[in-house]
Amino acid sequence: MAIIRQEDFVQSIADAFQFISYYHPKDYIDALYQAYLKEESPAAKDAMAQILINSRMCAEGKRPICQDTGIAVVFLKVGMKVQWDAELSVQEMVNEGVRRAYLNPDNKLRASVLLDPAGKRQNSKDNTPAVVHFEIVEGDGVEVTCAAKGGGSENKSKFYALNPSDSIVDWVLKTLPTMGAGWCPPGILGIGIGGTPEKAMLLAKESLMSHVDIQDLKAKADSGAELSRVEQLRLELFEKVNALGIGAQGLGGLTTVLDVKILDYPTHAASLPVAMIPNCAATRHVHFHLDGSGPASLEAPRLEDWPDITYDNSNGKRVNLDAITPEEVQSWQPGDVLLLNGKILTGRDAAHKRMVDMLNKGEKLPVDFTNRFIYYVGPVDPVRDEVVGPAGPTTATRMDKFTRQMLEQTGLLGMIGKAERGPTAIEAIKDNKAVYLMAVGGSAYLVSKAIKASKVVAFEDLGMEAIYEFEVKDMPVTVAVDSCGSSVHNTGPAEWRVKIGKIPVIPV
């Protein structure tokens, strides 16, 4: 009978969340690098390079892969013979471990969890409480899987109660393009089939915790070995999802997913519940076992496991944001790579809501946005000699409803964020001859190295959602929506879907 001591369990949880904040799983890095080598789309290949370079930098510097260090999710399989030597409940012990991890002064992680979600939405300050899933199983040990799930990918989760005779493949191929690129592909697609609605969602989430092994499965199929129905479905979806041409960061390309994971469960005769949850480019999870002998020991990857890639900015056009003019902005073309220099302002959900409320009341904003660019970001707090912690972009579509008012009432010239813009924002950009620039999601530490100075200039009480002023040097971005309203997230995937030629293009 194993006796699991409270301190061993708590410290193991803390160590695990620190570990996954800066170490990608090796299987993900291997799969991404192979996709990078095969990629033919220049834009997608550039995005993959940034993600790979960022990943190695994080492993070396032990700093977060993404500024969104996620909501803490823990799967526990507790043996029936286990005895706890603890005063706290299991949920409380997990929360204490998460608290230690996220407040670690050597690598402080961003607290993103808000209490009273439908009301005040007040930050808990330590990223607790965690979401914990318990299962009691045979044995006398505890199996623990810790995952940090970012909001951009979690927000793209989908569920549908299909009819028993409906095609799961058709539903996935119809639904995935509606998810946009805010989930930061290339990633892993988790699918849960059966059970009840909540069981299907849990299966989809849990499926993402397993190793990337789709190439092994393809080799098994090529050898003539018999495949289960779930294995056949994984391979079919892997091929057809990638044939959609969505590509890295939604820019169009050969690889949208690195693997498709499926778990199923018996269901009612009248039902076919199906859930789909993506894991983003900041795939973060680790598994460990506790047997009562002490805290978990996590084996760090070797730096040799990362490919030796350097970022080539020779194709980028340097831009001086401190002397930018509307005429220069209007000369930029979709797909242009720019290297930003000068001062930019930041702002995301809470700051935009507050600014719009002030504008509606006729109040003056605390910051002048005339001919300025706003970066949608909530950075990690700096440590040691850092100017700012990892500071990658957040999903831009969440700011779409604010875009027209910000452009028309503040003098804002352009925006920087992650993934595509919706039709409402694109129309506002076109009408105001503005521009939207895309930074790569999943390259937060790399982006932070381009930030040479940082200070809070408004709404300090909002924490990471405050308005900062960053001074940047050669920050790489891509023109995603030009002043005429042309979007690379519309043209890129359409072009690559035709090039791949495996899925018919249905005329609109």
Side-chain angles (χ1 to χ4, degrees), residues 422-489:
T424 300
I426 291 175
E427 193 67 23
I429 291 168
K430 178 182 177 182
D431 290 347
N432 289 277
K433 298 296 182 183
V435 71
Y436 167 63
L437 311 176
M438 189 210 80
V440 172
S443 63
Y445 196 39
L446 177 64
V447 170
S448 73
K449 296 305 180 185
I451 301 170
K452 303 305 179 183
S454 168
K455 63 180 180 180
V456 175
V457 292
F459 306 156
E460 186 172 5
D461 62 296
L462 295 180
M464 63 92 174
E465 294 206 64
I467 297 179
Y468 293 75
E469 184 177 70
F470 289 164
E471 185 170 346
V472 299
K473 181 178 180 180
D474 286 353
M475 176 180 169
V477 295
T478 299
V479 178
V481 181
D482 72 358
S483 61
C484 296
S486 179
S487 168
V488 295
H489 287 99

Side-chain angles (χ1 to χ4, degrees), residues 22 56 151 223 257 276 283 292 380 424 435 493:
Y22 45 73
R56 183 185 176 100
S223 73
V257 292
M276 178 164 59
T283 292
V380 176
T424 300
V435 71

